[in-house]
């Protein structure tokens, strides 16, 4: 959501297209020197592709930069080289986001809720570098004539939504004086004017009252039907989800007919109940609130405030008569807000230190694949390992293709095809139905290193005579 016309400065929802770096290819190289023409394989591994990382930066105010440039890509890993020189890793791309950014996939599922300076989330992980032929050497395959290709990095679309992180949310109709109030309470300097919808972005201000420091959000004006998407309601309502305390700012000097503080309060409460997202176990309708009767510096405003104050107090609400223009009542209001914020903070469980979660990569092995008959002696092989191995294979190199066949056999694909009643000449697709590589299955061809020929060839594929 971009605001403020052609000179947009605030965006609180964007679709971001991210692509991590691809891993560098491994190197197939043989060490050569005078009097030692075949000194053994010395091809090194390729470098890892760079990650795309989202990191909370309190200096970031909106998502505008990603609205303007929604495509971000990390660097690829460098290929390995001879002489056991490993390819360099690709540089990560660290994208600063405002505190309170929620990361979702395109289906609306929450992937991460980023709160707190320095909080990170790897939104796209770089591909692994391919193994060089030095790493592929075995007792029987002493000098492999191939290397593995680097794996592609993740590529995905994610939705970033900003939810302001503030202790107190000022809610109310347009031109109720919220911007003026936050300017008087804090050092914030929002745009202020005497017409509806002056505020098109949530403003944050820091307020100190005694020993308590808290943040106040000036949530742009709500109108009736905001919870159903009228005006800019839904975009702004989410900015109060994180606030522990609500302050109804009510205009006691509105010139609009049919408007008064009581009816304004009831309309806003109705919209809050309709929206009613939860903050932990406390929905919006259950959070503590105060009533701020604003503009009492106007004679008629003070009279109206004194008239409606008993009604609000009869509902069990604390009421403050204030004037952002003359600063009347602001000290009492700020200390009352501070007390409510402190009460909420005291109710929270003790903060736990950030824990580093280490997730080891799964080891090779197991039968993490599936063979599905597709009819007419055709079979589809799916699974993470077979698909990864396909991406690592250089199909222009017979020895590399033979190595892939051996890996699939060790994984159990050959046996699974036999159990699925596949016969000689069966069409075997590995991948997905729309994106796969097709092989002709010949069960009489034996897997193993016994099929090795000269470097880069494989007897089973006709490259050696």
């Amino acid at each position: 959501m971009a605001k403020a016309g052609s000179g947009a400065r605030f965006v609180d929802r964007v679709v971001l297209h991210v692509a991590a770096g691809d891993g560098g290819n491994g190197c197939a190289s043989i060490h050569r020197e005078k009097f030692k023409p075949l000194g053994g394989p010395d091809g090194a591994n390729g470098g890892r592709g760079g990650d795309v990382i989202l990191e909370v930066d309190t200096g970031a105010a909106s998502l505008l930069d990603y609205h303007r440039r929604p495509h971000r890509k990390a660097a690829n890993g460098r290929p390995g080289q001879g002489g056991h020189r490993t390819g360099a890793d690709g540089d990560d791309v660290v994208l600063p986001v405002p505190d309170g950014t929620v990361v979702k996939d395109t289906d609306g599922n929450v992937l991460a809720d980023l709160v707190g300076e320095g909080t990170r989330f790897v939104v796209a992980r770089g591909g692994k570098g391919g193994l060089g032929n030095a790493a592929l050497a075995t007792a029987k395959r002493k000098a492999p004539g191939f290397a593995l290709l680097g794996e592609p990095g993740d590529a995905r679309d994610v939705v970033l939504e900003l939810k302001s992180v503030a202790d107190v949310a000022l809610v109310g109709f347009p031109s109720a004086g919220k911007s003026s109030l936050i300017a008087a309470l804090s050092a914030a300097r929002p745009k202020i004017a005497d017409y509806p919808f002056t505020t098109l972005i949530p403003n944050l201000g820091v307020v100190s009252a005694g020993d308590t420091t808290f943040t106040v959000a000036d949530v742009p004006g709500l109108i009736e039907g905001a919870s159903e998407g009228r005006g800019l309601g839904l975009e702004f309502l989410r900015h109060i989800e994180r606030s522990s305390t609500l302050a109804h700012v009510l205009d006691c000097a509105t010139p609009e007919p049919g408007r008064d503080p009581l009816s304004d309060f009831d309309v806003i409460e109705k919209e809050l109940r309709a929206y009613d997202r939860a903050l932990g176990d406390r929905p919006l309708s259950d959070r503590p609130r105060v009533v701020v009767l604003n503009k009492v510096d106007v004679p008629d405003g003070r009279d109206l405030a004194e008239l409606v104050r008993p009604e609000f107090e009869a509902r069990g609400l604390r009421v403050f008569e204030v004037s952002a223009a003359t600063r009347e009542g602001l000290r009492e209001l700020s200390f009352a807000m501070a007390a409510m914020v402190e009460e909420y903070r005291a109710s929270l469980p003790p903060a736990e230190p950030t824990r580093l979660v280490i997730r080891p990569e799964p080891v090779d092995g197991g039968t993490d694949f599936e063979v599905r008959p597709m009819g007419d002696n055709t079979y589809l092989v799916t699974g993470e390992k077979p698909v990864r191995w396909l991406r690592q294979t250089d199909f222009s190199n017979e020895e590399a293709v033979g190595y892939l066949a051996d890996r699939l056999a060790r994984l159990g694909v050959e046996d699974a095809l036999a159990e699925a009643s596949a016969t000689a000449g069966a069409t075997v697709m590995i991948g997905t139905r729309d994106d796969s590589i097709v092989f002709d299955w010949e069960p009489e061809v034996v897997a193993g290193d016994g099929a090795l020929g000269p470097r880069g060839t494989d007897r089973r594929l006709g490259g050696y005579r």
Side-chain angles (χ1 to χ4, degrees), residues 63-416:
L63 302 171
L64 175 61
D65 194 32
Y66 308 121
H67 173 72
R68 291 172 172 166
R69 295 191 298 128
H71 296 271
R72 301 301 174 99
K73 188 180 188 313
N76 296 332
R78 303 292 296 174
Q81 301 181 52
H84 300 285
R85 290 173 292 179
T86 301
D89 292 340
D91 292 334
D92 295 336
V93 170
V94 180
L95 305 177
V97 295
D99 197 4
T101 299
V102 177
V103 187
K104 299 181 179 180
D105 62 21
T106 52
D107 294 327
N109 301 310
V110 176
L111 304 176
D113 193 350
L114 305 179
V115 178
E117 176 74 21
T119 301
R120 283 188 162 204
F121 173 65
V122 179
V123 67
R125 197 169 295 278
K128 296 180 180 178
L131 297 180
N133 67 341
L136 297 170
T138 64
K140 292 184 178 180
R141 196 191 299 267
K142 297 183 182 295
F146 70 98
L148 299 185
L149 304 179
E151 297 181 34
D154 294 339
R156 66 193 309 186
D157 296 342
V158 293
V159 178
L160 305 184
E161 286 187 355
L162 176 59
K163 297 179 181 178
S164 302
V165 179
D167 299 296
V168 180
L170 305 182
V171 297
F173 268 67
S175 297
K178 298 183 302 299
S179 297
S180 299
L181 187 60
I182 199 173
L185 286 169
S186 69
R189 292 294 174 263
K191 178 182 176 181
I192 300 170
D194 293 327
Y195 49 87
F197 292 108
T198 300
T199 304
L200 293 178
I201 65 175
N203 297 298
L204 292 177
V206 179
V207 181
S208 294
D211 296 330
T212 303
T213 300
F214 58 96
T215 55
V216 178
D218 161 23
V219 180
L222 304 178
I223 61 174
E224 188 169 8
S227 61
E228 300 172 357
R230 284 194 63 199
L232 301 172
L234 285 178
E235 286 83 352
F236 292 143
L237 273 166
R238 70 166 168 262
H239 286 281
I240 66 177
E241 287 185 30
R242 301 184 192 275
S243 301
S244 63
T245 303
L246 305 180
H248 279 271
V249 181
L250 303 173
D251 188 352
C252 290
T254 177
E256 298 181 36
R259 289 267 312 276
D260 64 80
L262 285 170
S263 61
D264 286 359
F265 177 88
D266 291 337
V267 167
I268 298 301
E269 281 291 305
K270 178 183 175 182
E271 297 306 321
L272 295 179
R273 286 193 300 271
Y275 189 70
D276 227 8
R277 302 276 181 95
L279 173 71
D281 59 352
R282 298 201 304 174
L284 289 178
S285 57
D286 289 345
R287 296 182 206 176
R289 64 246 292 126
V290 295
V291 171
V292 181
L293 301 176
N294 195 21
K295 304 183 183 179
V296 296
D297 55 297
V298 179
D300 291 342
R302 187 178 299 276
D303 294 340
L304 183 56
E306 292 176 354
L307 180 64
V308 299
R309 177 171 188 147
E311 176 63 28
F312 286 116
E313 292 177 337
R315 300 185 187 186
L317 296 166
R318 296 187 65 183
V319 181
F320 296 87
E321 298 179 19
V322 305
S323 168
T326 64
R327 306 184 65 86
E328 179 183 344
L330 296 188
R331 177 178 173 82
E332 293 80 1
L333 175 62
S334 62
F335 274 87
M337 290 177 173
M340 299 170 77
V341 170
E342 281 294 333
E343 181 179 356
Y344 171 72
R345 291 174 180 174
S347 70
L348 297 176
E352 295 183 1
T354 301
R355 292 176 295 176
L356 179 64
V357 179
I358 300 176
R359 297 182 175 87
E361 294 291 333
V363 297
D364 287 345
T367 56
D368 51 347
F369 68 93
E370 181 183 2
V371 174
R372 294 162 49 192
M374 306 298 290
D376 194 24
N377 205 23
T378 300
Y379 298 84
L380 176 65
V381 179
T382 59
E384 180 183 355
K385 285 186 179 180
V387 172
R388 280 186 56 224
W389 293 346
L390 283 179
R391 293 170 178 168
Q392 295 172 342
T393 302
D394 177 5
F395 284 93
S396 66
N397 185 301
E398 288 185 359
E399 190 177 356
V401 176
Y403 179 74
L404 170 64
D406 296 340
R407 297 176 88 179
L408 293 173
R410 287 194 296 270
L411 188 63
V413 173
E414 297 268 2
D415 294 338

Side-chain angles (χ1 to χ4, degrees), residues 19-34:
D22 298 335
N25 296 336
C27 175
S29 172
I30 299 296
H31 178 70
R32 302 178 188 276
E33 58 183 83
K34 192 174 183 179

